[in-house]
Amino acid sequence: MNISISLASKKTRHAVLKPSSNPPIIFTPGEKIRDQAGFMRGHGTYVSAGSLKATVAGVEQNINKLVTVSPLRCRYNGEIGDVVIARVTELVHKRWKVDINARLDAVLLLTSIQLPGGELRRRGMEDEQSMRSYLSEGDLISAEVHSIFADGSLSLHMRSLKYGKLGQGVLVKVQSNLIKRSKNHFHNLSAGVSVILGNNGYIWIEPTNDNKDPVGFEVDLQQVVDIGDRQTISRVRNVVLALSYYKMLIYDTSIQYALEESNKYTVSELLNAEACYDIANLTRHRLQAMDE
């Protein structure tokens, strides 16, 4: 086992990446944001002595005259149409309860999945008795937010062929607000792996497989993944964690750029703080050059 030891004076300073523009102002709970005159109070704010003050630590956001404060760190608040990665925690009457990194567990109804073979019919008693053969506790799935209940919990669905049960791969957990919202959250990287960027902060990395079960319930967990694929998956995992540590938006382009910048390091070297800083900094410069 290799051990890297260096003096504190020789280490790179790993606070945050130096911004190219003015950094946002972070408000603390109870701090005055602005005078209330002419503005409306939104989420994360309250009125005191004619002023709008923050209730959470975060950044101010304005929509016309509406003032809100977005917290720096929070649980996932789902929206209809979000792509999520979820883990089954419980089977109850005609539904599965799943963990999606939110305040409450989401539910996946038996009527919200495609039956094996793509058969279209009403779900009966036999289907309810066979629920555990479809999905059991601990299984990972990809799904989409279908609706939001009155208590804030989410209802998911897996009626599309791109959603289903996940097999061999690695799950990476990051802050949900670091996942960039886009039309497509399923990406095949040039390195030979596929990633699913869940809006809930769960990222799934797996070898690219063109022979997946079209229904999405049959996965081979005994299949041996090649050592090359395992190293590539580990590399993608490490660069995603590097982007997350430096609070950079995570999407297909940022992952691809970070992956290209990481080629000069071995997979194990990507665990060093200096390598993470270097990759995140170079990726930020490339993203800024692309936007200019």
Side-chain angles (χ1 to χ4, degrees):
M1 180 177 65
N2 296 327
I3 300 177
S4 176
I5 301 176
S6 59
L7 297 175
S9 59
K10 299 294 184 181
K11 291 185 178 181
T12 310
R13 298 182 63 184
H14 307 294
V16 292
L17 296 178
K18 294 181 180 179
S20 59
S21 58
N22 295 328
I25 301 175
I26 298 177
F27 294 93
T28 57
E31 184 177 357
K32 177 181 175 180
I33 304 173
R34 61 175 70 243
D35 294 330
Q36 185 190 7
F39 293 92
M40 295 185 294
R41 179 178 66 86
H43 293 292
T45 64
Y46 71 98
V47 179
S48 177
S51 301
L52 288 176
K53 297 185 178 181
T55 61
V56 295
V59 180
E60 176 190 7
Q61 290 186 343
N62 297 328
I63 304 176
N64 295 330
K65 296 295 183 178
L66 179 66
V67 178
T68 62
V69 175
S70 298
L72 298 177
R73 183 186 293 269
C74 63
R75 283 281 191 170
Y76 167 64
N77 294 315
E79 298 180 7
I80 296 176
D82 282 356
V83 175
V84 297
I85 305 296
R87 185 181 294 276
V88 179
T89 58
E90 186 181 358
L91 275 73
V92 291
H93 179 63
K94 291 185 179 181
R95 68 190 63 194
W96 293 270
K97 284 190 176 183
V98 295
D99 171 33
I100 57 168
N101 192 31
R103 183 173 55 89
L104 299 171
D105 283 347
V107 296
L108 176 65
L109 300 177
L110 180 59
T111 56
S112 298
I113 68 171
Q114 261 195 336
L115 295 175
E119 189 176 0
L120 299 176
R121 57 177 174 78
R122 292 176 62 92
R123 274 61 166 177
M125 182 63 68
E126 294 182 357
D127 296 314
E128 186 176 355
Q129 294 173 349
S130 303
M131 285 178 58
R132 198 174 298 276
S133 64
Y134 302 149
L135 296 171
S136 60
E137 293 89 341
D139 287 344
L140 283 169
I141 62 171
S142 60
E144 182 178 320
V145 177
H146 178 257
S147 60
I148 304 176
F149 295 113
D151 61 354
S153 60
L154 305 179
S155 175
L156 310 180
H157 81 84
M158 294 167 50
R159 296 194 185 97
S160 175
L161 293 179
K162 62 183 179 180
Y163 304 121
K165 185 176 178 180
L166 302 176
Q168 300 275 33
V170 171
L171 177 68
V172 183
K173 300 180 181 180
V174 301
Q175 296 181 33
S176 59
N177 55 3
L178 294 180
I179 303 297
K180 183 177 181 180
R181 293 183 178 273
S182 60
K183 293 183 179 179
N184 183 24
H185 285 256
F186 295 77
H187 303 285
N188 294 328
L189 302 180
S190 59
V193 298
S194 301
V195 295
I196 305 176
L197 304 176
N199 289 110
N200 58 333
Y202 289 175
I203 300 175
W204 180 253
I205 309 171
E206 64 180 358
T208 301
N209 184 10
D210 298 328
N211 299 320
K212 291 181 66 176
D213 176 29
V215 177
F217 289 115
E218 296 295 332
V219 295
D220 185 9
L221 297 179
Q222 303 300 323
Q223 179 185 2
V224 178
V225 181
D226 295 337
I227 183 64
D229 290 337
R230 293 205 296 267
Q231 290 179 344
T232 305
I233 290 173
S234 300
R235 180 177 294 274
V236 175
R237 169 198 176 272
N238 291 344
V239 299
V240 167
L241 291 179
L243 297 177
S244 172
Y245 181 79
Y246 288 102
K247 304 298 185 290
M248 296 180 62
L249 282 180
I250 299 174
Y251 55 107
D252 57 332
T253 305
S254 64
I255 295 176
Q256 185 62 44
Y257 284 172
L259 202 57
E260 294 173 0
E261 298 297 340
S262 71
N263 289 330
K264 57 186 175 182
Y265 298 104
T266 64
V267 176
S268 59
E269 288 174 346
L270 294 177
L271 299 175
N272 297 332
E274 287 80 6
C276 292
Y277 179 85
D278 181 41
I279 291 171
N281 198 33
L282 292 174
T283 302
R284 180 179 64 86
H285 283 303
R286 291 186 63 178
L287 291 174
Q288 289 176 352
M290 183 182 65
D291 294 336
E292 292 177 355

